[in-house]
Amino acid sequence: MMGPAHSLSGAAAWLGVGAAAAALDHAMPWPVLLVGALICAGAALAPDLDHKSATISRAFGPLSRALCGIVDKISYGVYKATKSSRDARRSGGHRTLTHTWLWAVLIGAGFSALAVLGGRWAVLGILFVHLVLAVEGLLWRAARVSSDVLVWLLGATSAWILAGVLDQPGNGADWLFTGDGQEYLWLGLPVLLGAVVHTIGDALTISGCPMFWPLPIAGKRWYPVGPPKLMRFRAGSWVELKVLMPAFMLLGGAGGAAALGYI
């Protein structure tokens, strides 16, 4: 899928989690619902760090473009080192390492650890990065024609404001994990969910997605999981733009309303 659809699916997924949490009598405070949805929308772009032409490659200028090139080479190296004889030959690392659920778990755990051990500035950094990505994904056309600096300023300002709101008692810094020193441990959850949702979205496309690596399937380590080929679509096709994206908006709206107790 393309960037906007990935981001919408990420936001909708977190709002759905918020609805489930409310149904289980562990409702999210509204700042957690909002911040989590934005982080998940941004994190749903992150697996495409292995692609130099992806939305994420322009998010932070030369830095993100260079990082995409490095991740592409690392992913390709891991693919070559672990592929079986039945896996196809390829010339790059797109849709390999960063498109697996193992990567999603590791990156989610890493951001949780960073949030807990790094203190306020780490939390601000996590919020800044993912809010910039959320703007790039959810407001794709506007971000394309605006200055990168303006997008960064919006991300930095929003991160500062939202972190201040979360720090207020009862607003969710300790949501889900209430032990001493566990504030913001939950920040890794929307990161993990965004990565998982990204892989599921890509699995619906023609190429499929090797989300279950390194588990062997049909003799392949990098088996491209997906529905029957008749049910798949091309990235950026009318199915994505006219069916899936409106569906994500409706599902997200319903999930948010349920999470806040309106339905």
Side-chain angles (χ1 to χ4, degrees), residues 75-127:
S75 298
Y76 182 49
V78 172
Y79 179 84
K80 289 197 300 181
T82 61
K83 74 181 186 72
S84 72
S85 59
R86 293 191 177 186
D87 285 307
R89 292 184 178 181
R90 54 188 307 137
S91 58
H94 182 47
R95 287 203 187 184
T96 54
L97 179 61
T98 61
H99 286 67
T100 65
W101 287 8
L102 176 59
W103 171 271
V105 171
L106 292 176
I107 202 71
F111 274 108
S112 281
L114 179 62
V116 171
L117 300 176
R120 179 174 176 80
W121 286 106
V123 171
L124 286 170
I126 293 169
L127 291 177

Side-chain angles (χ1 to χ4, degrees), residues 34-161:
L34 173 61
V35 171
L38 291 171
I39 291 177
C40 201
L45 295 180
D48 278 343
L49 267 173
D50 59 8
H51 196 313
K52 292 182 181 180
S53 298
T55 302
I56 192 174
S57 71
R58 72 176 296 273
F60 300 97
L63 178 61
S64 53
R65 285 193 290 272
L67 182 59
C68 283
I70 293 170
V71 173
D72 176 40
K73 288 181 173 59
I74 293 173
S75 298
Y76 182 49
V78 172
Y79 179 84
K80 289 197 300 181
T82 61
K83 74 181 186 72
S84 72
S85 59
R86 293 191 177 186
D87 285 307
R89 292 184 178 181
R90 54 188 307 137
S91 58
H94 182 47
R95 287 203 187 184
T96 54
L97 179 61
T98 61
H99 286 67
T100 65
W101 287 8
L102 176 59
W103 171 271
V105 171
L106 292 176
I107 202 71
F111 274 108
S112 281
L114 179 62
V116 171
L117 300 176
R120 179 174 176 80
W121 286 106
V123 171
L124 286 170
I126 293 169
L127 291 177
F128 168 70
V129 168
H130 288 93
L131 290 175
V132 168
L133 292 177
V135 170
E136 291 284 353
L138 298 174
L139 302 177
W140 182 79
R141 293 188 184 278
R144 285 280 176 173
V145 299
S146 66
S147 165
D148 286 342
V149 175
L150 290 178
V151 175
W152 300 339
L153 286 174
L154 176 60
T157 303
S158 300
W160 188 271
I161 293 172

Side-chain angles (χ1 to χ4, degrees), residues 200-216:
I200 294 174
D202 278 355
L204 299 176
T205 63
I206 290 175
S207 299
C209 188
M211 61 179 72
F212 296 131
W213 175 86
L215 299 178

